[in-house]
């Protein structure tokens, strides 16, 4: 059975779809493809969040009153007074935010790499990842809190409200899931995937470090200048750790622990201790 060159019909006269044609790319074509891929992944995920955060920050700057008199809520209710509907929206938001990570895993597999395993996100060294992640979280957590309190006191940051969920049974499970989602999305895309792609595109290690760190700071800009600077510094530390260990797993653990403590700690302590700012 052969193909007609004219209309794509078989010799029997039955029309079928032609076989896909895969074109071999030269080096410039391969880089162009990777560049486009990277931009699309970022546009569907944290690159878009960076633009959104910039618009939000401009709105805060142009609003009457200082930044510290305004609040940035991280985990709020989607359906106040309707807990089951609220839970459905919370779970939908967490699940849909993970889709770009699945896209990255698919793209890496098509590249010939073993999915996210090539980035060091697997279960081969769980205790190693957990131990180093906990050490990173302990070091960054205390310094980060002090930096936030100082930035807010000097008027460079909004009052960050890590959670404003209703007091229902699913509050803390959702906060933990939200922390895990943040950690997986940010560290897979902004740290491991972006560094891999920028390296393949010929960026220098310093330029890639600055790009990854600046992007991390950009999508926290809605918190204020303090949020931008603090997260950019955190990005530098994470890039250096990732390059040293060759695994993103410990940084996912560290980020998850930082957010779990921030979300849960605020839920337990807000309004009960004087040093924790509230709106």
């Amino acid at each position: 059975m052969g193909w007609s060159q004219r209309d794509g019909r078989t010799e029997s006269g039955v029309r079928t779809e032609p076989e896909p044609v895969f074109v071999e790319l030269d080096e410039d074509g391969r880089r162009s493809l990777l560049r486009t891929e990277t931009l699309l992944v970022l546009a569907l995920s944290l690159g878009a969040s960076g633009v959104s955060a910039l618009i939000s920050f401009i709105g805060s700057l142009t609003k009457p009153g200082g930044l510290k008199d305004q609040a940035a809520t991280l985990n709020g209710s989607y359906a106040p007074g309707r807990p089951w509907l609220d839970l459905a929206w919370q779970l939908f938001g967490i699940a849909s935010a993970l889709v770009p990570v699945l896209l990255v895993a698919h793209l890496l597999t098509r590249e010939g790499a073993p999915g996210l395993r090539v980035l060091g996100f697997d279960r081969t060294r769980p205790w190693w990842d957990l131990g180093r992640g906990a050490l990173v979280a302990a070091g960054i957590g205390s310094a980060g809190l002090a930096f936030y309190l100082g930035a807010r006191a000097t008027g460079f940051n909004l009052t960050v409200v890590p959670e404003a969920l209703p007091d229902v049974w699913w509050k803390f499970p959702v906060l933990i899931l939200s922390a895990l989602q943040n950690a997986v999305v940010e560290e897979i895309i902004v740290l491991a995937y972006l560094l891999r792609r920028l390296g393949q595109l010929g960026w220098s290690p310093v330029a890639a470090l600055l790009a990854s760190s600046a992007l991390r700071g950009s999508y926290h800009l809605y918190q204020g200048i303090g949020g931008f600077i603090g997260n950019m510094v955190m990005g530098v530390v994470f890039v250096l750790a990732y390059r040293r260990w060759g695994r993103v797993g410990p940084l996912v653990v560290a980020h998850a622990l930082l957010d779990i403590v921030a979300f849960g700690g605020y839920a337990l302590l807000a309004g009960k201790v004087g040093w924790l700012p509230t709106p």
Side-chain angles (χ1 to χ4, degrees), residues 25-224:
L25 299 175
D26 58 17
E27 184 63 20
D28 289 340
R30 189 182 70 86
R31 288 193 176 190
S32 178
L33 190 66
L34 289 179
R35 189 180 301 110
T36 301
E37 173 201 300
T38 305
L39 291 174
L40 287 174
V41 169
L42 294 179
L44 290 171
S45 58
L46 295 164
S49 297
V51 176
S52 174
L54 174 60
I55 296 171
S56 177
F57 179 61
I58 293 172
S60 298
L61 282 178
T62 55
K63 186 177 181 179
L67 290 180
K68 68 178 181 180
D69 298 321
Q70 303 175 49
T73 302
L74 307 189
N75 294 282
S77 175
Y78 291 117
R82 307 179 68 184
W84 285 103
L85 182 61
D86 200 349
L87 175 60
W89 278 117
Q90 297 290 341
L91 295 178
F92 170 76
I94 291 169
S96 60
L98 290 169
V99 173
V101 174
L102 299 179
L103 175 60
V104 164
H106 171 72
L107 293 170
L108 290 172
T109 301
R110 293 194 62 179
E111 179 188 331
L116 299 180
R117 182 177 298 179
V118 73
L119 306 179
F121 187 67
D122 52 36
R123 295 178 294 176
T124 58
R125 306 175 71 181
W127 295 111
W128 192 91
D129 291 345
L130 183 61
R132 280 159 179 73
L135 288 175
V136 172
I140 289 181
S142 55
L145 177 59
F147 183 81
Y148 160 67
L149 294 175
R152 181 186 175 276
T154 54
F156 287 101
N157 224 71
L158 285 76
T159 298
V160 177
V161 181
E163 71 85 22
L165 297 177
D167 291 322
V168 290
W169 65 268
W170 49 259
K171 176 176 182 172
F172 285 96
V174 163
L175 289 176
I176 292 173
L177 288 175
S178 178
L180 293 172
Q181 171 249 298
N182 289 343
V184 171
V185 172
E186 293 188 38
E187 304 316 326
I188 292 296
I189 295 178
V190 174
L191 181 61
Y193 168 77
L194 185 58
L195 289 180
R196 179 179 178 86
R197 285 293 183 256
L198 293 182
Q200 292 170 328
L201 289 170
W203 287 45
S204 71
V206 173
L209 178 149
L210 292 176
S212 174
S213 303
L215 177 57
R216 185 187 296 269
S218 73
Y219 57 79
H220 289 93
L221 190 57
Y222 68 93
Q223 299 176 11

